[in-house]
Amino acid sequence: MSCRASPWIRPSLPAGPRFPTSGRPRSPLGNMNLWKNPILKNSWTLGVGVPNIFALPSRMFRCMALSGSGDNSGFARPTSTDEAVAPLPLYSWPDKQRPRVCILGGGFGGLYTALRLESLVWPSDKKPQVVLVDQSDRFVFKPMLYELLSGEVDVWEIAPSFTELLKNTSVQFVRDSVKLLRPSDHFRREPGESCTGGVVHLESGTVIEYDWLVLALGAEAKIDVVPGSAEYALPFTTLVDALRVESKLKMLERKRFGKSSPTIEVAIVGLGYSGVELAATISERLKNTGTVKAINVQTTICPTAPQGNRDAAVKVLESRNIQLLLGYFVSCIKEASSADDSSGTVTYSEVDGDHKKLILDLQPAERGLKGQTLEADLVLWTVGSASQIPRLQPPDTPYVIPLNGRGQVETEETLLVKGHPRTFAIGDSAALRDASGKLLPATAQVAFQQADFAGWNLWAAINDRPLLPFRFQNLGEMMTLGRNDAAITASFIEGLTLEGPLGHAARKLVYCLRMPTDEHRVKVGVSWLTKTAIDSLASVQNAVANSFPPPTPMGDTGTATNPSPPPAAMDPDSEVVFDFLPYLCQYKSGRIHRPGGSPTVPAGTDPATGVVSKDVRAGPASVRICLPPGATGKIPVVVYFHGGGFVVGSPARPSTHNYLVDLVARSGAIAVSVYYRLAPEHKLPVAYDDAWAGLRWAATLGGGEEPWLLDHADLSRVFLVGCSAGANIAHNIAVRASAPGALPDGVALRGLALVHPYFTGREAAGGEVAFGPEIRGYMDRTWRFVVSETVGLDDPRVCPFVDDAARRASAGIPCERVLVCVAEKDFLLRERGLWYHRELKASGYAGELEIFESKGVGHAFHFDLLGSEQGVELQERTVAFIKK
C-alpha cells in the first residue's frame, strides 16, 4: 500500500523473541513505572540487536532517531546486551491507527491551525490526533501587548491559557521547548513501504513521532546586536517581556512619586510598528513625568506602513513628550558613571539604590548629523528578530530543512516545505512570497490566513485531495497610539484611514472578533464593554462637574476691574486625586490605575504540588476551590480571603494562588478562596458581603450541588484564614457568624488564622506612639477611601476593640482557636497584630489563643518568599494550626 494512499498505517510488531529481561537497559528515571505516565507511557530503545517495540518504520529511521545531537555519524553503534543504552521516552498517541499531526508553536499560526483542524469534517477513521507544543502555557495575542502597559486590558483577556482554549477540543497540549527536528519525509521509499513524517526531540527528553508536522515556531527577538544591548536593553515580543517592562515602569514611577525631578527617561530603539506603538503608549502613560527618546536609523517612521497610518502616527508622536532621533543608530549601551561627561551634562551613576542610569552612544546614519550620547532609565529594543529553525536542525544534516538567508523555511505555495511532503511551515517560520515576489511580512494577519490554509491543506493531504495554493489578501493595517487613539487603514477602501477614538474602537472590535474561540470572544467582549461603560460614565461625570464654575470663597471682595486670572486647566486624566501606593491611583476623571495590573493564573492542576483547582459561581460571589492530590474521605475546609488593601488582588493572582495550593498540599485540606469585589468601584461592605456569601456557600456544600464539597468537606472542621485586608475580612466574617442561625446546623468554625492582619485605630497602640501624624492621616484617608460610610478609624470593622459593644462582639466569635501571625519588620501593622492578640485575650474570649512572629521579614513577605526559611516556618505553623 502506498504512503500517499494510507499515510497513517504503521507496521505490526516485528516477529522474534523479545530482548532478554536481564539485559534490558535501565531507565534514567530509575524505578518509575513509565506505563502509568500518560505522556511517558512508552519508552523505546534503539540499537543493533534491539527490536523496536514501537514499530518505527525502517532500520534507517531507527538509526536516525537514535543519533542524537552528539552522534555525527547518523547511525547507531552496535551494542551488546550488557551495554546500557539510555532509552528515550516516546510521546504516547491515544490511537495507533489515526494520523498524527504535531504542531510546533502556539502563536497565531500554530493555535489557529489546530482549531481549524478541529472545525473540519473528517471521516471517522481519518480524523487526526493533534498535539500542540509550546514553551509557554499561554497563547499571547501579541498585537495587544501594548494595552497591558496602558492598563486597558488584563492578562487573561489577551493571554488565555492553552488549557482553557482547548478544553472543548480533542487537541492535546504539551508545554515544552523544541530541541531538535529530525524529519524523514524527504527520504525515498519503496512502493508499499510504511512511512512516518519524522520525530521531534523536546528539551524534557520526550520524543514525538509524527505523520505530519506544522512548523509555526515564530521568531525570537534578536537583541545581542551591539555591545551592551543584550545586557541592558529589554525586548518587547512576549508576555514575559511585557510584564517585565510593566514592572520596570512601575518601579520608576514609584521612585519618582512626589518628586519634581529627575524625570523618567525611556529610550526606544527602532520606529517600526512596534517602536511607534510603544512610544505612543508609554509617553501617554508618563505624561509630564517622563520623556520618551525614540531612535531610528531611517529618517522616516514605519517605512512599510500605509501613508494614512504613518501620518496619524507622526501627528501623535509630535504632540507628546517624545524626542525623535531619526537617522541614528545605537553603537553601544553601558551603565552611567560619574566619569561619563561626554554629553556635557551631569549623569546619575545611581538613582534610588540599585537603579542605575544607562548611556546610549548614537552614531549618525545620515550625512550632516553628529554623534551624540543619551541617558535613559529604561531601554527598549524593537529591531531585529531571528528564526528558531536553524538551531533546531540535526547537527549531522544541518541543511535537511531548506532555509533562506534569514533562516526562514523555504516553502511551496501550498505551504509545504520544499522537498518535504509531510511538513508545513507558516507564520514567521516560513519564507513565502506574494505575487510580486516580495516576502510576506511577519504579521498576525499573515499568520491568521496561513493557519486557515494549512488546516485545509492538511485535511486535503490526509484525504488524498489536491492542495490549495496560499494567496495572501491584505485587509489593511492597524496600530494603537494610546488609550483612546489608534489608526486603521483598510486596503479595500483607498485613502480611508480611521483615527482617534473611532479607530481605537474599530481596532478593538476587530481584535475581539479575532480571539481564538467563541467562548473567549464573549468573555473578552463583555469585559471590554463593561470597562468602556465605566470609563464613559466617569467622563460624563467629569464633564458635568467641570461645567459648573468653582464656588467663590466667603468674603471675596475681588472686583471686575481687577479679576484674578483663572488657574490653568489641568488634564483630568493626569491629575491624581488619590494615591494609594503601592496599589492604585485615582485620577480626577475617575479613572483608576492599578500599576501592577491584574495578572492571573488559570485554575487547573498545579504541576509542583498536584493540587487541582477550579473556579465556580458561589451564589452572588465566585470562588476558587483547591483540592489536595489523592483526597479521600472527609477533610478540613479552609475558607481563604486574600489581601490587597481591599483594592487589588484575587484568588487567581499568581502569588495568592501559589500560596494557597502550597497550603492545601501541606495541610491536606480543601480550600475555598473567595473572589470578592474590590474598592473603590465597590466600597465596603461589599467585600464583607461577598466573603460571607462564599462562606455560606461552602457551609451548604455549594447549595448541595458541588461534588468536591459533597465528597470531601468536613463541615465540623471549618477554618477562616486571611492575610492583611483578608485577615480583617476573616475577623469580621467570624463576628457575623456568631449570630444565632447564621450558619447551618453541624457547621463548626474550628479556627481563625489572621496573618499580618489589617487593623488600625485613632488612638496609638504599643509602638505606634512613634508614628508621626502623617501616618495616622494616611491610615484614615485610605480607610475612608475603601468604605462607603464610616466614622473613621474608630469604626469597629477596622478597630475591633474600640468600645464595649465591639469588644463583646469580638469576644463572641464562634471559633475554638485563634492564631495571630505578625512580621518583625511590618512597619505599619505589626503593633496592631500584637494589640489584637492582647485585646482579644483580655476581652473574655473563651477559646485558645496563639501568637507567632516571623523574624527579619516584612508585611506579607511569604508571597514572594514562600520557599524561604521564614516562609516555610510560617506555612508550617498555619498547617499545624489546621491539623491540631
Side-chain angles (χ1 to χ4, degrees):
M1 188 174 292
S2 69
C3 289
R4 182 171 179 79
S6 190
W8 48 89
I9 298 298
R10 287 178 288 280
S12 59
L13 187 68
R18 298 277 187 177
F19 194 75
T21 303
S22 60
R24 286 179 184 166
R26 288 181 57 84
S27 165
L29 302 178
N31 295 323
M32 181 186 296
N33 186 350
L34 298 179
W35 292 98
K36 294 183 179 180
N37 189 310
I39 300 299
L40 307 181
K41 183 176 180 182
N42 299 326
S43 64
W44 56 328
T45 304
L46 301 172
V48 175
V50 183
N52 175 10
I53 65 173
F54 295 98
L56 295 178
S58 67
R59 180 176 300 173
M60 171 189 63
F61 181 71
R62 293 198 295 272
C63 294
M64 176 200 66
L66 179 62
S67 61
S69 58
D71 184 3
N72 294 326
S73 67
F75 295 94
R77 293 185 297 273
T79 60
S80 68
T81 57
D82 297 327
E83 182 179 353
V85 180
L88 299 174
L90 189 69
Y91 177 80
S92 177
W93 294 91
D95 191 286
K96 302 304 180 185
Q97 298 301 319
R98 290 190 291 120
R100 305 164 299 176
V101 176
C102 178
I103 301 176
L104 303 181
F108 289 113
L111 175 64
Y112 285 63
T113 297
L115 295 174
R116 175 62 168 156
L117 288 171
E118 187 72 14
S119 69
L120 294 171
V121 178
W122 296 85
S124 59
D125 61 334
K126 294 183 180 181
K127 182 175 182 180
Q129 307 164 86
V130 180
V131 62
L132 177 67
V133 181
D134 196 89
Q135 62 185 355
S136 172
D137 64 341
R138 291 174 178 269
F139 162 75
V140 181
F141 203 98
K142 290 186 178 182
M144 300 202 75
L145 282 176
Y146 312 97
E147 277 82 347
L148 282 179
L149 303 184
S150 65
E152 289 181 80
V153 302
D154 295 324
V155 171
W156 71 266
E157 294 170 339
I158 65 165
S161 69
F162 287 111
T163 303
E164 181 69 20
L165 294 175
L166 300 174
K167 65 182 180 181
N168 297 320
T169 72
S170 61
V171 178
Q172 298 298 307
F173 172 69
V174 173
R175 183 180 182 183
D176 210 333
S177 298
V178 180
K179 182 179 182 180
L180 193 67
L181 300 174
R182 284 201 175 274
S184 63
D185 55 344
H186 58 298
F187 292 119
R188 180 177 297 176
R189 295 180 175 84
E190 296 299 328
E193 181 184 3
S194 296
C195 56
T196 187
V199 293
V200 173
H201 294 252
L202 304 181
E203 289 289 351
S204 64
T206 302
V207 176
I208 300 179
E209 180 189 357
Y210 61 82
D211 297 315
W212 304 88
L213 179 68
V214 179
L215 296 174
L217 290 167
E220 300 173 315
K222 185 174 177 58
I223 198 168
D224 54 341
V225 179
V226 300
S229 59
E231 183 177 0
Y232 299 114
L234 298 180
F236 197 82
T237 58
T238 68
L239 177 63
V240 173
D241 295 338
L243 295 178
R244 189 181 301 152
V245 172
E246 165 65 24
S247 176
K248 185 73 172 178
L249 285 172
K250 182 169 62 176
M251 181 272 292
L252 293 170
E253 289 167 333
R254 288 178 178 175
K255 289 182 180 298
R256 190 200 174 278
F257 180 74
K259 303 175 184 178
S260 58
S261 63
T263 59
I264 299 169
E265 296 177 307
V266 178
I268 297 176
V269 182
L271 282 175
Y273 267 115
S274 180
V276 168
E277 290 176 295
L278 269 176
T281 300
I282 293 177
S283 63
E284 182 185 53
R285 170 172 172 163
L286 296 179
K287 297 189 184 297
N288 59 345
T289 66
T291 302
V292 173
K293 302 174 180 180
I295 306 154
N296 198 45
V297 69
Q298 296 174 296
T299 56
T300 58
I301 67 171
C302 296
T304 62
Q307 188 63 43
N309 280 9
R310 191 182 308 124
D311 292 343
V314 169
K315 182 169 61 177
V316 168
L317 297 185
E318 290 179 345
S319 68
R320 295 183 184 163
N321 199 11
I322 298 175
Q323 180 183 356
L324 294 176
L325 297 161
L326 305 180
Y328 287 94
F329 65 89
V330 177
S331 63
C332 177
I333 304 176
K334 59 186 177 180
E335 283 188 356
S337 66
S338 57
D340 289 321
D341 58 358
S342 57
S343 64
T345 61
V346 178
T347 64
Y348 299 90
S349 62
E350 192 168 323
V351 180
D352 291 319
D354 60 353
H355 171 66
K356 294 185 178 181
K357 285 273 190 178
L358 299 174
I359 298 293
L360 289 82
D361 289 333
L362 303 188
Q363 297 299 322
E366 299 284 336
R367 290 184 178 181
L369 299 176
K370 294 182 178 181
Q372 54 181 296
T373 300
L374 295 182
E375 281 187 354
D377 298 291
L378 174 63
V379 178
L380 303 180
W381 197 276
T382 70
V383 292
S385 61
S387 172
Q388 301 185 52
I389 304 298
R391 63 178 175 82
L392 303 178
Q393 300 249 47
D396 49 324
T397 52
Y399 306 108
V400 65
I401 300 175
L403 305 178
N404 68 0
R406 300 180 181 181
Q408 296 171 301
V409 181
E410 292 282 2
T411 67
E412 307 285 356
E413 60 179 1
T414 58
L415 303 178
L416 279 172
V417 176
K418 291 182 178 179
H420 292 263
R422 289 166 169 266
T423 305
F424 293 83
I426 59 177
D428 298 354
S429 297
L432 191 63
R433 301 179 182 274
D434 60 18
S436 65
K438 294 177 59 178
L439 279 175
L440 294 177
T443 63
Q445 182 182 179
V446 172
F448 278 136
Q449 297 183 29
Q450 287 182 337
D452 193 49
F453 273 78
W456 173 262
N457 281 346
L458 274 166
W459 181 94
I462 292 172
N463 288 282
D464 202 21
R465 301 291 183 85
L467 277 59
L468 296 177
F470 174 71
R471 295 290 182 265
F472 174 59
Q473 183 180 1
N474 186 3
L475 302 177
E477 298 183 20
M478 303 186 290
M479 64 192 310
T480 182
L481 296 171
R483 280 187 62 88
N484 202 31
D485 202 349
I488 299 180
T489 298
S491 62
F492 47 86
I493 305 178
E494 187 175 356
L496 174 64
T497 299
L498 300 180
E499 301 179 40
L502 182 59
H504 179 267
R507 177 177 176 271
K508 291 192 76 172
L509 176 61
V510 170
Y511 282 157
C512 183
L513 295 175
R514 282 292 192 181
M515 288 295 167
T517 65
D518 291 339
E519 181 180 352
H520 193 65
R521 255 175 243 127
V522 171
K523 290 180 180 178
V524 170
V526 170
S527 177
W528 288 356
L529 283 174
T530 303
K531 292 175 183 177
T532 301
I534 293 173
D535 289 344
S536 300
L537 180 60
S539 299
V540 171
Q541 290 175 333
N542 183 67
V544 171
N546 290 339
S547 65
F548 294 97
T552 302
M554 294 293 292
D556 187 354
T557 58
T559 63
T561 59
N562 189 26
S564 299
M570 189 171 183
D571 182 1
D573 206 32
S574 63
E575 183 179 352
V576 176
V577 295
F578 191 85
D579 199 319
F580 193 169
L581 287 176
Y583 301 125
L584 59 74
C585 291
Q586 185 177 37
Y587 295 88
K588 187 176 181 181
S589 66
R591 180 169 71 92
I592 302 294
H593 175 58
R594 292 177 169 88
S598 303
T600 60
V601 172
T605 301
D606 180 63
T609 62
V611 172
V612 183
S613 60
K614 62 180 178 180
D615 292 333
V616 297
R617 193 70 187 169
S622 294
V623 299
R624 172 164 291 190
I625 313 178
C626 299
L627 187 68
T632 58
K634 299 296 184 180
I635 54 180
V637 179
V638 172
V639 181
Y640 182 77
F641 310 104
H642 67 83
F646 300 104
V647 297
V648 297
S650 78
R653 194 180 185 93
S655 56
T656 302
H657 176 82
N658 294 338
Y659 164 80
L660 194 59
V661 297
D662 184 77
L663 179 66
V664 168
R666 291 175 184 268
S667 66
I670 184 172
V672 177
S673 184
V674 181
Y675 286 89
Y676 58 82
R677 286 169 287 178
L678 302 175
E681 295 90 343
H682 306 281
K683 291 179 178 287
L684 294 176
V686 170
Y688 294 138
D689 294 338
D690 289 347
W692 178 251
L695 173 60
R696 284 279 306 176
W697 180 83
T700 59
L701 302 177
E705 297 179 352
E706 173 47 50
W708 287 6
L709 295 178
L710 288 168
D711 292 342
H712 300 292
D714 182 354
L715 295 182
S716 67
R717 291 185 291 165
V718 178
F719 293 83
L720 304 181
V721 181
C723 179
S724 192
N728 175 286
I729 292 174
H731 164 83
N732 282 282
I733 294 305
V735 170
R736 188 180 294 195
S738 65
L743 294 176
D745 292 340
V747 177
L749 296 184
R750 188 67 63 87
L752 172 65
L754 308 180
V755 182
H756 310 167
Y758 169 70
F759 295 118
T760 185
R762 186 169 57 86
E763 300 295 331
E768 289 181 351
V769 294
F771 289 175
E774 68 280 359
I775 298 296
R776 193 69 53 214
Y778 170 80
M779 300 298 283
D780 183 75
R781 289 194 305 275
T782 54
W783 170 250
R784 293 179 184 275
F785 180 71
V786 301
V787 66
S788 57
E789 296 181 4
T790 183
V791 295
L793 297 186
D794 282 342
D795 191 316
R797 292 171 292 186
V798 74
C799 187
F801 302 98
V802 66
D803 53 31
D804 290 342
R807 186 178 299 273
R808 285 192 301 271
S810 298
I813 57 177
C815 303
E816 298 178 9
R817 292 178 282 119
V818 175
L819 169 65
V820 181
C821 300
V822 297
E824 182 183 23
K825 294 187 176 181
D826 189 348
F827 171 70
L828 283 179
L829 298 180
R830 175 182 179 272
E831 291 298 329
R832 278 292 156 173
L834 298 175
W835 166 83
Y836 180 92
H837 177 263
R838 290 194 305 269
E839 293 294 327
L840 184 61
K841 186 175 183 179
S843 69
Y845 168 68
E848 298 179 22
L849 194 55
E850 304 176 29
I851 185 76
F852 175 75
E853 182 172 56
S854 299
K855 300 296 184 181
V857 288
H859 184 73
F861 75 93
H862 49 290
F863 292 112
D864 294 324
L865 301 173
L866 188 58
S868 66
E869 180 181 351
Q870 296 94 330
V872 172
E873 188 180 21
L874 173 61
Q875 195 77 307
E876 289 297 337
R877 185 60 180 265
T878 309
V879 168
F881 180 76
I882 295 171
K883 289 185 173 182
K884 186 175 180 180

